[in-house]
């Protein structure tokens, strides 16, 4: 379970995002939607422990992540969180399999890589360099890399953003299926995909209003 409480993120440029409280339950899938710039990626980055909240708390399975140091958060992320980044963050000059096997450096068991690639329908590309793949194929590699550690929490930032609707729909169906029993939080703008998720969270309603901090009047 992931609990978001009184969460605020303020950037140096004074953009401030106030999040409404929310609970993501274990075993459920959530679709996050909301206008560009409303704070979706920032929320995923804070849950992943890549960004620190300015105020408030992120509590994962009873543990207040905001009170851990960066090293502990990194360790927690490596062990428990599968993050599918919007821009994939794959290594283009390496093969599909090597992009997954490189996670052994983080102590992750990648012995199921080929089976997972098979589940995702790209096993035959396992020895191809990522730079030779289509957008949809890269997306699947990014999903495989995120799921190989059997993460408790799967974060997916616009996983269908680069795909046409039919392929995007297939990717979402596979992602939801493969992440069953865990918590899936996926950002997507396409409301046609909402039927595949247990819950849809509209961040336009959820954020207490993203605003630029107004400077106080000086008398
Ligand atoms: N590193 C950063 N530095 C300054 N402002 C940022 C940074 N990252 C995001 N923002 C700002 O925070 C707001 C939310 O961004 P983001 O979470 O990326 O939105 P979304 O993913 O919903 O499109 C935007 O106004 C964006 O410009
Ligand atoms: Mg974003």
């Amino acid at each position: 379970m992931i609990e978001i409480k009184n969460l605020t993120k303020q950037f140096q440029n004074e953009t401030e995002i106030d999040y409404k409280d929310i609970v993501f339950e274990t075993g459920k899938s959530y679709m996050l939607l909301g206008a560009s710039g409303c704070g979706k990626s920032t929320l995923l980055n804070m849950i992943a422990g890549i960004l620190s909240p300015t105020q408030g708390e992120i509590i994962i399975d009873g543990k207040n992540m905001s009170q851990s140091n960066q090293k502990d958060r990194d360790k927690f992320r490596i062990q428990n969180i599968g993050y599918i980044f919007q821009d994939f963050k794959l290594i283009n000059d390496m093969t599909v399999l090597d992009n997954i096997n490189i996670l052994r450096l983080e102590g992750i068991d990648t012995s199921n890589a080929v089976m997972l690639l098979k589940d995702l329908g790209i096993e035959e590309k396992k020895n191809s360099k990522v730079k030779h793949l289509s957008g949809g194929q890269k997306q699947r590699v990014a999903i495989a890399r995120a799921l190989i550690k059997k993460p408790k929490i799967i974060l997916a930032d616009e996983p269908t953003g680069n795909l046409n609707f039919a392929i995007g729909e297939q990717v979402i169906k596979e992602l939801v299926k493969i992440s069953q029993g865990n918590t899936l939080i996926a950002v997507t703008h396409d409301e046609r995909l909402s039927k595949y998720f247990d819950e849809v969270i509209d961040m336009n309603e959820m954020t207490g209003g993203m605003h630029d901090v107004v400077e106080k009047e000086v008398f």
Side-chain angles (χ1 to χ4, degrees):
M1 184 165 81
I2 305 168
E3 296 163 84
I4 307 293
K5 282 187 186 165
N6 303 317
L7 190 66
T8 299
K9 179 67 187 176
Q10 188 163 1
F11 290 106
Q12 267 130 358
N13 62 8
E14 299 203 327
T15 297
E16 183 181 310
I17 310 167
D18 298 322
Y19 294 92
K20 290 260 165 68
D21 291 357
I22 177 170
V23 173
F24 297 102
E25 285 171 44
T26 302
K28 277 192 159 185
S29 58
Y30 296 84
M31 168 170 162
L32 283 189
L33 60 84
S36 177
C38 77
K40 304 179 295 295
S41 299
T42 302
L43 179 63
L44 296 191
N45 285 332
M46 288 193 286
I47 292 171
I50 294 168
L51 281 180
S52 303
T54 306
Q55 280 177 52
E57 291 163 2
I58 296 174
I59 302 165
I60 303 182
D61 293 339
K63 191 168 188 280
N64 190 340
M65 304 310 285
S66 327
Q67 285 168 1
S68 324
N69 59 36
Q70 191 60 48
K71 199 171 154 224
D72 287 344
R73 286 203 297 253
D74 289 343
K75 195 172 157 203
F76 182 85
R77 178 175 59 255
I78 288 166
Q79 289 173 349
N80 301 293
I81 297 183
Y83 198 158
I84 302 156
F85 294 94
Q86 188 167 8
D87 59 357
F88 310 134
K89 299 203 194 299
L90 297 169
I91 302 164
N92 279 311
D93 266 317
M94 276 174 36
T95 67
V96 165
L97 215 43
D98 285 345
N99 264 274
I100 297 173
N101 285 336
I102 198 171
L103 297 178
R104 288 179 190 162
L105 296 174
E106 296 181 342
I108 290 160
D109 175 7
T110 63
S111 54
N112 277 328
V114 175
M115 225 148 76
L116 187 53
L117 291 171
K118 199 172 172 184
D119 285 346
L120 288 162
I122 45 161
E123 187 205 3
E124 79 279 7
K125 294 287 177 193
K126 64 177 188 274
N127 295 317
S128 303
K129 284 191 176 174
V130 164
K131 66 181 171 193
H132 295 132
L133 303 183
S134 70
Q137 290 166 336
K138 284 181 193 167
Q139 188 68 72
R140 281 154 210 261
V141 180
I143 292 173
R145 194 188 48 181
L147 295 179
I148 191 73
K149 58 176 112 163
K150 299 194 174 74
K152 285 198 290 196
I153 298 165
I154 299 139
L155 307 175
D157 203 350
E158 308 205 22
T160 62
N162 303 285
L163 310 177
N164 71 35
F165 180 71
I167 297 174
E169 185 178 38
Q170 212 181 327
V171 163
I172 289 293
K173 277 190 195 164
E174 282 159 8
L175 191 56
V176 169
K177 189 171 144 212
I178 217 161
S179 60
Q180 254 167 22
N182 301 303
T183 309
L184 169 67
I185 307 173
V187 172
T188 159
H189 294 291
D190 197 330
E191 296 196 42
R192 290 173 295 177
L193 298 171
S194 64
K195 60 176 181 242
Y196 298 111
F197 293 86
D198 294 320
E199 279 190 39
V200 176
I201 296 171
D202 187 344
M203 296 263 298
N204 293 314
E205 290 168 13
M206 188 187 134
T207 41
M210 193 215 59
H211 54 273
D212 294 323
V213 177
V214 182
E215 280 190 50
K216 286 202 183 84
E217 272 184 78
V218 183
F219 293 98

